[in-house]
Amino acid sequence: MKKIVTLAFVVITAISAMAQKPSNDELSASYNMLGIGYTSETSIGNGAYLQFTTARKVWDGLCVDIGIKGRYTYWDAWGLADMHTMDARALLGLSYQAHVTKDFAVIPHTGANLGGRFELEGDDGGKSFVFGWDVGLRLRYKKVALTYSATIGITDMETAHSVGIAYGF
């Protein structure tokens, strides 16, 4: 019983802290390179991400990140098949905003993503469920950030390395 009361207290405290502290909303655009088999040596696709994330501060520099992202990809499987796909994914993760100065912050982040992939053109017009794990870093100066993210696909054995720019509002 004592553990349940303690857990309830922690959850209520975290929710009230999230409601009182401001969020950091961010829109980012990225270029990405894709590979199969968890290695960038087998890169077979190129694409672009558009992502919206809100980071809700829960404690000191620790934030809960919630977001959505869409990705367009052109696949060239070793010259054997051309395919265009769209991904739509939901994001849930953690980040830590380490302020070096008042205006400059280093923000490592990690979290899960899940959603669907839709083949836009190709032989089978396939749809699939995708689940992955993101790890990355943002270097933010005032409202603009340079971003790097690596997505490791759990359901599709895909890696995606993305570099981009983000704007916070």
Side-chain angles (χ1 to χ4, degrees):
M1 183 67 177
K2 188 176 181 181
K3 290 180 182 180
I4 293 172
V5 172
T6 303
L7 179 62
F9 175 76
V10 169
V11 170
I12 291 169
T13 303
I15 290 170
S16 64
M18 287 175 65
Q20 294 174 7
K21 295 194 178 189
S23 67
N24 294 318
D25 296 335
E26 194 172 78
L27 183 64
S28 62
S30 304
Y31 168 76
N32 68 336
M33 302 146 290
L34 301 169
I36 298 294
Y38 303 117
T39 172
S40 59
E41 293 174 7
T42 57
S43 180
I44 63 165
N46 294 295
Y49 276 117
L50 186 60
Q51 177 173 322
F52 174 79
T53 308
T54 184
R56 304 292 295 187
K57 292 182 182 177
V58 292
W59 182 68
D60 202 17
L62 185 65
C63 297
V64 172
D65 297 341
I66 302 167
I68 56 172
K69 69 178 170 181
R71 178 179 75 186
Y72 165 79
T73 305
Y74 170 73
W75 298 83
D76 180 14
W78 301 282
L80 301 175
D82 292 340
M83 185 171 57
H84 300 265
T85 61
M86 288 290 292
D87 287 17
R89 300 184 187 207
L91 311 167
L92 179 61
L94 294 173
S95 63
Y96 184 78
Q97 299 181 11
H99 287 272
V100 178
T101 67
K102 180 183 175 193
D103 294 332
F104 182 71
V106 176
I107 307 166
H109 61 88
T110 187
N113 68 69
L114 60 99
R117 174 172 296 142
F118 312 94
E119 190 173 322
L120 299 176
E121 59 182 59
D123 297 336
D124 59 359
K127 299 174 186 169
S128 60
F129 171 77
V130 288
F131 175 69
W133 196 261
D134 291 340
V135 177
L137 182 69
R138 293 191 298 273
L139 302 175
R140 187 174 66 206
Y141 179 72
K142 294 188 178 181
K143 293 186 177 239
V144 177
L146 296 175
T147 65
Y148 168 78
S149 183
T151 300
I152 301 165
I154 295 170
T155 57
D156 56 6
M157 292 187 63
E158 164 192 295
T159 57
H161 300 275
S162 304
V163 291
I165 190 161
Y167 180 76
F169 47 94

PDB file of all heavy atoms in Angstrom, residues 117-142:
ATOM      1  N   ARG A 117       4.110   2.920 -42.411  1.00  0.00           N
ATOM      2  CA  ARG A 117       4.812   3.243 -43.661  1.00  0.00           C
ATOM      3  C   ARG A 117       3.888   2.879 -44.811  1.00  0.00           C
ATOM      4  O   ARG A 117       3.282   1.815 -44.819  1.00  0.00           O
ATOM      5  CB  ARG A 117       6.117   2.469 -43.776  1.00  0.00           C
ATOM      6  CG  ARG A 117       6.796   2.668 -45.122  1.00  0.00           C
ATOM      7  CD  ARG A 117       8.176   2.063 -45.169  1.00  0.00           C
ATOM      8  NE  ARG A 117       9.007   2.766 -44.211  1.00  0.00           N
ATOM      9  CZ  ARG A 117       9.936   2.170 -43.461  1.00  0.00           C
ATOM     10  NH1 ARG A 117      10.160   0.882 -43.581  1.00  0.00           N
ATOM     11  NH2 ARG A 117      10.645   2.861 -42.611  1.00  0.00           N
ATOM     12  N   PHE A 118       3.812   3.781 -45.788  1.00  0.00           N
ATOM     13  CA  PHE A 118       2.937   3.595 -46.927  1.00  0.00           C
ATOM     14  C   PHE A 118       3.748   3.726 -48.203  1.00  0.00           C
ATOM     15  O   PHE A 118       4.440   4.727 -48.396  1.00  0.00           O
ATOM     16  CB  PHE A 118       1.818   4.638 -46.912  1.00  0.00           C
ATOM     17  CG  PHE A 118       1.153   4.755 -45.577  1.00  0.00           C
ATOM     18  CD1 PHE A 118       1.560   5.712 -44.652  1.00  0.00           C
ATOM     19  CD2 PHE A 118       0.146   3.883 -45.225  1.00  0.00           C
ATOM     20  CE1 PHE A 118       0.952   5.807 -43.420  1.00  0.00           C
ATOM     21  CE2 PHE A 118      -0.463   3.973 -43.982  1.00  0.00           C
ATOM     22  CZ  PHE A 118      -0.064   4.935 -43.087  1.00  0.00           C
ATOM     23  N   GLU A 119       3.654   2.742 -49.064  1.00  0.00           N
ATOM     24  CA  GLU A 119       4.369   2.783 -50.335  1.00  0.00           C
ATOM     25  C   GLU A 119       3.560   3.618 -51.315  1.00  0.00           C
ATOM     26  O   GLU A 119       2.395   3.335 -51.578  1.00  0.00           O
ATOM     27  CB  GLU A 119       4.557   1.366 -50.864  1.00  0.00           C
ATOM     28  CG  GLU A 119       5.490   1.291 -52.034  1.00  0.00           C
ATOM     29  CD  GLU A 119       5.772  -0.144 -52.427  1.00  0.00           C
ATOM     30  OE1 GLU A 119       5.897  -1.000 -51.536  1.00  0.00           O
ATOM     31  OE2 GLU A 119       5.853  -0.390 -53.631  1.00  0.00           O
ATOM     32  N   LEU A 120       4.167   4.694 -51.842  1.00  0.00           N
ATOM     33  CA  LEU A 120       3.463   5.603 -52.730  1.00  0.00           C
ATOM     34  C   LEU A 120       3.383   5.083 -54.157  1.00  0.00           C
ATOM     35  O   LEU A 120       2.400   5.290 -54.849  1.00  0.00           O
ATOM     36  CB  LEU A 120       4.140   6.977 -52.731  1.00  0.00           C
ATOM     37  CG  LEU A 120       4.174   7.666 -51.376  1.00  0.00           C
ATOM     38  CD1 LEU A 120       4.935   8.965 -51.459  1.00  0.00           C
ATOM     39  CD2 LEU A 120       2.762   7.902 -50.871  1.00  0.00           C
ATOM     40  N   GLU A 121       4.435   4.447 -54.610  1.00  0.00           N
ATOM     41  CA  GLU A 121       4.432   3.825 -55.930  1.00  0.00           C
ATOM     42  C   GLU A 121       5.355   2.631 -55.883  1.00  0.00           C
ATOM     43  O   GLU A 121       6.297   2.589 -55.125  1.00  0.00           O
ATOM     44  CB  GLU A 121       4.843   4.799 -57.020  1.00  0.00           C
ATOM     45  CG  GLU A 121       6.226   5.393 -56.847  1.00  0.00           C
ATOM     46  CD  GLU A 121       6.565   6.377 -57.933  1.00  0.00           C
ATOM     47  OE1 GLU A 121       5.847   7.362 -58.086  1.00  0.00           O
ATOM     48  OE2 GLU A 121       7.570   6.146 -58.605  1.00  0.00           O
ATOM     49  N   GLY A 122       5.080   1.673 -56.682  1.00  0.00           N
ATOM     50  CA  GLY A 122       5.864   0.445 -56.670  1.00  0.00           C
ATOM     51  C   GLY A 122       4.973  -0.720 -57.013  1.00  0.00           C
ATOM     52  O   GLY A 122       3.827  -0.552 -57.407  1.00  0.00           O
ATOM     53  N   ASP A 123       5.490  -1.897 -56.839  1.00  0.00           N
ATOM     54  CA  ASP A 123       4.770  -3.086 -57.270  1.00  0.00           C
ATOM     55  C   ASP A 123       3.599  -3.462 -56.371  1.00  0.00           C
ATOM     56  O   ASP A 123       2.520  -3.787 -56.839  1.00  0.00           O
ATOM     57  CB  ASP A 123       5.734  -4.280 -57.364  1.00  0.00           C
ATOM     58  CG  ASP A 123       6.803  -4.048 -58.422  1.00  0.00           C
ATOM     59  OD1 ASP A 123       6.540  -3.246 -59.340  1.00  0.00           O
ATOM     60  OD2 ASP A 123       7.874  -4.654 -58.303  1.00  0.00           O
ATOM     61  N   ASP A 124       3.793  -3.432 -55.045  1.00  0.00           N
ATOM     62  CA  ASP A 124       2.760  -3.998 -54.180  1.00  0.00           C
ATOM     63  C   ASP A 124       1.909  -2.985 -53.423  1.00  0.00           C
ATOM     64  O   ASP A 124       0.934  -3.358 -52.808  1.00  0.00           O
ATOM     65  CB  ASP A 124       3.373  -5.001 -53.201  1.00  0.00           C
ATOM     66  CG  ASP A 124       4.429  -4.363 -52.317  1.00  0.00           C
ATOM     67  OD1 ASP A 124       4.696  -3.161 -52.482  1.00  0.00           O
ATOM     68  OD2 ASP A 124       4.979  -5.079 -51.469  1.00  0.00           O
ATOM     69  N   GLY A 125       2.243  -1.681 -53.456  1.00  0.00           N
ATOM     70  CA  GLY A 125       1.456  -0.683 -52.737  1.00  0.00           C
ATOM     71  C   GLY A 125       1.327  -0.997 -51.263  1.00  0.00           C
ATOM     72  O   GLY A 125       0.284  -0.803 -50.661  1.00  0.00           O
ATOM     73  N   GLY A 126       2.407  -1.512 -50.660  1.00  0.00           N
ATOM     74  CA  GLY A 126       2.364  -2.039 -49.309  1.00  0.00           C
ATOM     75  C   GLY A 126       2.218  -1.006 -48.213  1.00  0.00           C
ATOM     76  O   GLY A 126       2.548   0.161 -48.361  1.00  0.00           O
ATOM     77  N   LYS A 127       1.704  -1.472 -47.094  1.00  0.00           N
ATOM     78  CA  LYS A 127       1.597  -0.699 -45.866  1.00  0.00           C
ATOM     79  C   LYS A 127       2.211  -1.557 -44.772  1.00  0.00           C
ATOM     80  O   LYS A 127       2.075  -2.768 -44.774  1.00  0.00           O
ATOM     81  CB  LYS A 127       0.140  -0.414 -45.521  1.00  0.00           C
ATOM     82  CG  LYS A 127      -0.582   0.396 -46.567  1.00  0.00           C
ATOM     83  CD  LYS A 127      -2.039   0.524 -46.228  1.00  0.00           C
ATOM     84  CE  LYS A 127      -2.750   1.203 -47.374  1.00  0.00           C
ATOM     85  NZ  LYS A 127      -4.194   1.154 -47.250  1.00  0.00           N
ATOM     86  N   SER A 128       2.905  -0.919 -43.826  1.00  0.00           N
ATOM     87  CA  SER A 128       3.507  -1.694 -42.754  1.00  0.00           C
ATOM     88  C   SER A 128       3.571  -0.878 -41.475  1.00  0.00           C
ATOM     89  O   SER A 128       3.596   0.349 -41.503  1.00  0.00           O
ATOM     90  CB  SER A 128       4.909  -2.182 -43.147  1.00  0.00           C
ATOM     91  OG  SER A 128       5.749  -1.082 -43.413  1.00  0.00           O
ATOM     92  N   PHE A 129       3.610  -1.568 -40.359  1.00  0.00           N
ATOM     93  CA  PHE A 129       3.783  -0.969 -39.037  1.00  0.00           C
ATOM     94  C   PHE A 129       5.280  -0.818 -38.795  1.00  0.00           C
ATOM     95  O   PHE A 129       6.055  -1.721 -39.098  1.00  0.00           O
ATOM     96  CB  PHE A 129       3.166  -1.883 -37.978  1.00  0.00           C
ATOM     97  CG  PHE A 129       3.484  -1.461 -36.575  1.00  0.00           C
ATOM     98  CD1 PHE A 129       2.820  -0.399 -35.993  1.00  0.00           C
ATOM     99  CD2 PHE A 129       4.456  -2.125 -35.847  1.00  0.00           C
ATOM    100  CE1 PHE A 129       3.115  -0.007 -34.696  1.00  0.00           C
ATOM    101  CE2 PHE A 129       4.757  -1.738 -34.544  1.00  0.00           C
ATOM    102  CZ  PHE A 129       4.077  -0.673 -33.975  1.00  0.00           C
ATOM    103  N   VAL A 130       5.698   0.330 -38.270  1.00  0.00           N
ATOM    104  CA  VAL A 130       7.109   0.541 -37.953  1.00  0.00           C
ATOM    105  C   VAL A 130       7.246   0.976 -36.496  1.00  0.00           C
ATOM    106  O   VAL A 130       6.443   1.729 -35.971  1.00  0.00           O
ATOM    107  CB  VAL A 130       7.773   1.590 -38.886  1.00  0.00           C
ATOM    108  CG1 VAL A 130       7.961   1.032 -40.266  1.00  0.00           C
ATOM    109  CG2 VAL A 130       6.987   2.876 -38.951  1.00  0.00           C
ATOM    110  N   PHE A 131       8.262   0.432 -35.838  1.00  0.00           N
ATOM    111  CA  PHE A 131       8.587   0.780 -34.459  1.00  0.00           C
ATOM    112  C   PHE A 131      10.096   0.923 -34.392  1.00  0.00           C
ATOM    113  O   PHE A 131      10.833   0.107 -34.933  1.00  0.00           O
ATOM    114  CB  PHE A 131       8.118  -0.327 -33.500  1.00  0.00           C
ATOM    115  CG  PHE A 131       8.530  -0.088 -32.078  1.00  0.00           C
ATOM    116  CD1 PHE A 131       7.969   0.940 -31.340  1.00  0.00           C
ATOM    117  CD2 PHE A 131       9.483  -0.886 -31.481  1.00  0.00           C
ATOM    118  CE1 PHE A 131       8.348   1.168 -30.023  1.00  0.00           C
ATOM    119  CE2 PHE A 131       9.872  -0.667 -30.163  1.00  0.00           C
ATOM    120  CZ  PHE A 131       9.294   0.359 -29.437  1.00  0.00           C
ATOM    121  N   GLY A 132      10.562   1.988 -33.752  1.00  0.00           N
ATOM    122  CA  GLY A 132      11.995   2.207 -33.676  1.00  0.00           C
ATOM    123  C   GLY A 132      12.390   2.982 -32.443  1.00  0.00           C
ATOM    124  O   GLY A 132      11.559   3.371 -31.619  1.00  0.00           O
ATOM    125  N   TRP A 133      13.682   3.219 -32.331  1.00  0.00           N
ATOM    126  CA  TRP A 133      14.263   3.939 -31.203  1.00  0.00           C
ATOM    127  C   TRP A 133      15.131   5.061 -31.757  1.00  0.00           C
ATOM    128  O   TRP A 133      15.940   4.837 -32.646  1.00  0.00           O
ATOM    129  CB  TRP A 133      15.095   2.994 -30.346  1.00  0.00           C
ATOM    130  CG  TRP A 133      15.377   3.582 -29.007  1.00  0.00           C
ATOM    131  CD1 TRP A 133      16.509   4.214 -28.607  1.00  0.00           C
ATOM    132  CD2 TRP A 133      14.494   3.631 -27.903  1.00  0.00           C
ATOM    133  NE1 TRP A 133      16.385   4.644 -27.314  1.00  0.00           N
ATOM    134  CE2 TRP A 133      15.145   4.302 -26.861  1.00  0.00           C
ATOM    135  CE3 TRP A 133      13.185   3.179 -27.693  1.00  0.00           C
ATOM    136  CZ2 TRP A 133      14.562   4.529 -25.624  1.00  0.00           C
ATOM    137  CZ3 TRP A 133      12.607   3.399 -26.457  1.00  0.00           C
ATOM    138  CH2 TRP A 133      13.291   4.071 -25.437  1.00  0.00           C
ATOM    139  N   ASP A 134      14.942   6.269 -31.232  1.00  0.00           N
ATOM    140  CA  ASP A 134      15.701   7.447 -31.650  1.00  0.00           C
ATOM    141  C   ASP A 134      16.724   7.829 -30.591  1.00  0.00           C
ATOM    142  O   ASP A 134      16.434   7.787 -29.398  1.00  0.00           O
ATOM    143  CB  ASP A 134      14.783   8.655 -31.851  1.00  0.00           C
ATOM    144  CG  ASP A 134      13.856   8.525 -33.036  1.00  0.00           C
ATOM    145  OD1 ASP A 134      14.147   7.718 -33.920  1.00  0.00           O
ATOM    146  OD2 ASP A 134      12.844   9.236 -33.060  1.00  0.00           O
ATOM    147  N   VAL A 135      17.891   8.227 -31.040  1.00  0.00           N
ATOM    148  CA  VAL A 135      18.933   8.791 -30.184  1.00  0.00           C
ATOM    149  C   VAL A 135      19.495   9.982 -30.943  1.00  0.00           C
ATOM    150  O   VAL A 135      19.757   9.880 -32.144  1.00  0.00           O
ATOM    151  CB  VAL A 135      20.059   7.769 -29.904  1.00  0.00           C
ATOM    152  CG1 VAL A 135      21.155   8.396 -29.076  1.00  0.00           C
ATOM    153  CG2 VAL A 135      19.509   6.537 -29.235  1.00  0.00           C
ATOM    154  N   GLY A 136      19.675  11.111 -30.261  1.00  0.00           N
ATOM    155  CA  GLY A 136      20.166  12.259 -31.003  1.00  0.00           C
ATOM    156  C   GLY A 136      20.671  13.382 -30.123  1.00  0.00           C
ATOM    157  O   GLY A 136      20.738  13.271 -28.898  1.00  0.00           O
ATOM    158  N   LEU A 137      21.016  14.480 -30.798  1.00  0.00           N
ATOM    159  CA  LEU A 137      21.582  15.646 -30.134  1.00  0.00           C
ATOM    160  C   LEU A 137      21.140  16.897 -30.878  1.00  0.00           C
ATOM    161  O   LEU A 137      21.152  16.935 -32.112  1.00  0.00           O
ATOM    162  CB  LEU A 137      23.117  15.554 -30.142  1.00  0.00           C
ATOM    163  CG  LEU A 137      23.876  16.668 -29.444  1.00  0.00           C
ATOM    164  CD1 LEU A 137      23.666  16.583 -27.933  1.00  0.00           C
ATOM    165  CD2 LEU A 137      25.349  16.572 -29.763  1.00  0.00           C
ATOM    166  N   ARG A 138      20.734  17.903 -30.110  1.00  0.00           N
ATOM    167  CA  ARG A 138      20.420  19.212 -30.676  1.00  0.00           C
ATOM    168  C   ARG A 138      21.350  20.237 -30.045  1.00  0.00           C
ATOM    169  O   ARG A 138      21.553  20.232 -28.839  1.00  0.00           O
ATOM    170  CB  ARG A 138      18.962  19.591 -30.394  1.00  0.00           C
ATOM    171  CG  ARG A 138      17.975  18.717 -31.108  1.00  0.00           C
ATOM    172  CD  ARG A 138      16.545  19.247 -31.040  1.00  0.00           C
ATOM    173  NE  ARG A 138      15.961  19.362 -29.718  1.00  0.00           N
ATOM    174  CZ  ARG A 138      15.323  18.377 -29.089  1.00  0.00           C
ATOM    175  NH1 ARG A 138      15.232  17.188 -29.643  1.00  0.00           N
ATOM    176  NH2 ARG A 138      14.791  18.583 -27.900  1.00  0.00           N
ATOM    177  N   LEU A 139      21.884  21.111 -30.863  1.00  0.00           N
ATOM    178  CA  LEU A 139      22.668  22.252 -30.401  1.00  0.00           C
ATOM    179  C   LEU A 139      21.821  23.483 -30.677  1.00  0.00           C
ATOM    180  O   LEU A 139      21.646  23.873 -31.834  1.00  0.00           O
ATOM    181  CB  LEU A 139      24.008  22.331 -31.134  1.00  0.00           C
ATOM    182  CG  LEU A 139      24.897  21.098 -31.021  1.00  0.00           C
ATOM    183  CD1 LEU A 139      26.132  21.245 -31.897  1.00  0.00           C
ATOM    184  CD2 LEU A 139      25.297  20.852 -29.577  1.00  0.00           C
ATOM    185  N   ARG A 140      21.265  24.075 -29.612  1.00  0.00           N
ATOM    186  CA  ARG A 140      20.325  25.180 -29.783  1.00  0.00           C
ATOM    187  C   ARG A 140      20.938  26.509 -29.343  1.00  0.00           C
ATOM    188  O   ARG A 140      21.478  26.621 -28.244  1.00  0.00           O
ATOM    189  CB  ARG A 140      19.050  24.911 -28.989  1.00  0.00           C
ATOM    190  CG  ARG A 140      17.970  25.955 -29.268  1.00  0.00           C
ATOM    191  CD  ARG A 140      16.673  25.638 -28.606  1.00  0.00           C
ATOM    192  NE  ARG A 140      16.857  25.726 -27.160  1.00  0.00           N
ATOM    193  CZ  ARG A 140      16.133  25.074 -26.277  1.00  0.00           C
ATOM    194  NH1 ARG A 140      15.205  24.236 -26.684  1.00  0.00           N
ATOM    195  NH2 ARG A 140      16.346  25.220 -24.997  1.00  0.00           N
ATOM    196  N   TYR A 141      20.826  27.499 -30.232  1.00  0.00           N
ATOM    197  CA  TYR A 141      21.207  28.866 -29.906  1.00  0.00           C
ATOM    198  C   TYR A 141      19.954  29.723 -30.041  1.00  0.00           C
ATOM    199  O   TYR A 141      19.393  29.826 -31.145  1.00  0.00           O
ATOM    200  CB  TYR A 141      22.309  29.373 -30.831  1.00  0.00           C
ATOM    201  CG  TYR A 141      22.713  30.796 -30.523  1.00  0.00           C
ATOM    202  CD1 TYR A 141      23.448  31.091 -29.381  1.00  0.00           C
ATOM    203  CD2 TYR A 141      22.326  31.828 -31.345  1.00  0.00           C
ATOM    204  CE1 TYR A 141      23.807  32.386 -29.077  1.00  0.00           C
ATOM    205  CE2 TYR A 141      22.683  33.130 -31.059  1.00  0.00           C
ATOM    206  CZ  TYR A 141      23.414  33.399 -29.926  1.00  0.00           C
ATOM    207  OH  TYR A 141      23.758  34.698 -29.624  1.00  0.00           O
ATOM    208  N   LYS A 142      19.516  30.283 -28.938  1.00  0.00           N
ATOM    209  CA  LYS A 142      18.261  31.023 -28.852  1.00  0.00           C
ATOM    210  C   LYS A 142      17.126  30.144 -29.354  1.00  0.00           C
ATOM    211  O   LYS A 142      16.783  29.172 -28.702  1.00  0.00           O
ATOM    212  CB  LYS A 142      18.353  32.357 -29.569  1.00  0.00           C
ATOM    213  CG  LYS A 142      19.333  33.304 -28.882  1.00  0.00           C
ATOM    214  CD  LYS A 142      19.300  34.681 -29.470  1.00  0.00           C
ATOM    215  CE  LYS A 142      20.274  35.567 -28.707  1.00  0.00           C
ATOM    216  NZ  LYS A 142      20.291  36.921 -29.187  1.00  0.00           N
TER     217      LYS A 142
END
